[in-house]
Amino acid sequence: MDWFTGFSIVAISTGVTISVVVLIAVGSIRRSLNEGTLRQAQHIRSLSDSVAALTAQQQQAQARIQHLTEAQRRLSDEVNALGERLSDSDAVHRVSGTAKLLH
């Protein structure tokens, strides 16, 4: 064998070795990216479920707040009505000199 044949064999062997190493590295990187993508998809799914649950809780809380606001308004109206009845009773009491019952 002459030096050119030996050099060619070494060059081809080096090229094949580098190609194999590059293919293994690319495969490893691709597998890592696929695993990362899978983990991200699971996190996104989990976060979506959490957001859906929190949205449902928020809607329930808003409905409860609205119900309580209406109840407060009704109670406020009743207190105002009782206050008016009481002030009317005081006015009548002053005029007639006797106390009247509120019911």
Side-chain angles (χ1 to χ4, degrees), residues 20-83:
V20 168
V21 168
V22 168
L23 286 175
I24 290 172
V26 167
S28 175
I29 291 169
R30 186 172 181 179
R31 187 179 69 242
S32 295
L33 286 174
N34 287 340
E35 290 172 357
T37 302
L38 180 62
R39 282 193 304 270
Q40 283 182 342
Q42 290 172 344
H43 287 298
I44 289 170
R45 212 173 297 120
S46 172
L47 289 173
S48 295
D49 293 343
S50 297
V51 167
L54 289 173
T55 301
Q57 288 177 0
Q58 180 186 14
Q59 290 173 350
Q60 291 172 352
Q62 286 175 340
R64 182 71 175 143
I65 288 169
Q66 185 177 5
H67 176 72
L68 290 172
T69 301
E70 288 296 319
Q72 180 186 12
R73 185 191 54 76
R74 285 192 305 271
L75 286 173
S76 178
D77 291 345
E78 288 180 27
V79 168
N80 288 338
L82 285 173

Side-chain angles (χ1 to χ4, degrees), residues 2-12:
D2 60 351
W3 67 270
F4 184 73
T5 305
F7 181 73
S8 298
I9 292 172
V10 170
I12 290 173

